[in-house]
Amino acid sequence: MAGMMQWFPTGWAHYLVGGVFIGLGVAWLFLATGRVGGMSSVFSSTWSFVSQRSAFQQPRYLNSRAWRLVYALGLILGAAVWWLFFSPRQPMHTGLPVWQLLLGGLLVGYGARRGNGCTSGHGICGMGSFQLPSVGAVLVFMATAFATAQLVAAWLPAGAVR
């Protein structure tokens, strides 16, 4: 159990509760409406309000932009409720400079659009709604992650990975 605290210094129960709520929410949305609750389409559907470019004026974005905005607002409000009532009140921080965070966000956003969804979207929403392309995508993501972890562990000096 002490080894788990190294990986989860703030505990693991909130991850479990959050995962259960995410799974229940996505399942409820799909069962109640037949809609897949991935978030990477929110970007494109939101741009359809302000850009007349044909890439953003596709029927799939125009027909889904209202509920996707409400969906995204619910995620933001849910995070705010957690922060106000359940967080440890200590600000979370990172040692990375802002430019690296912005560059990383742009690269992830670009990759998510090119891959028709992000890793968590394919894993949670795509596989949860039995979409075969998402199963393939998740298998590729996992294989790449396993291979990368093995390569990094082999290249780094012993004890460098904590």
Side-chain angles (χ1 to χ4, degrees):
M1 196 65 159
M4 280 189 68
M5 289 312 294
Q6 177 183 352
W7 295 338
F8 303 104
T10 60
W12 56 269
H14 57 286
Y15 295 112
L16 177 63
V17 171
V20 168
F21 276 120
I22 289 170
L24 289 173
V26 168
W28 176 76
L29 178 67
F30 184 67
L31 291 173
T33 67
R35 294 176 175 160
V36 177
M39 289 303 297
S40 61
S41 298
V42 171
F43 177 80
S44 298
S45 64
T46 302
W47 273 104
S48 72
F49 283 110
V50 294
S51 175
Q52 295 304 313
R53 291 190 59 201
S54 60
F56 300 120
Q57 295 301 313
Q58 298 175 34
R60 67 182 176 142
Y61 297 138
L62 296 174
N63 297 335
S64 68
R65 63 187 184 179
W67 78 262
R68 288 190 188 282
L69 275 179
V70 172
Y71 186 66
L73 181 62
L75 290 173
I76 293 167
L77 290 176
V81 166
W82 177 85
W83 183 72
L84 289 171
F85 298 108
F86 303 108
S87 73
R89 298 282 187 216
Q90 297 171 352
M92 299 180 85
H93 59 85
T94 178
L96 293 174
V98 171
W99 74 267
Q100 286 181 348
L101 295 171
L102 291 173
L103 178 61
L106 287 171
L107 291 173
V108 167
Y110 176 77
R113 290 309 323 139
R114 296 291 298 162
N116 277 338
C118 65
T119 53
S120 57
H122 280 294
I124 296 167
C125 300
M127 287 180 60
S129 59
F130 307 111
Q131 294 182 22
L132 195 56
S134 289
V135 173
V138 170
L139 290 174
V140 170
F141 300 150
M142 295 304 295
T144 304
F146 293 151
T148 302
Q150 292 301 311
L151 289 172
V152 168
W155 287 341
L156 290 178
V161 178
R162 297 190 282 159

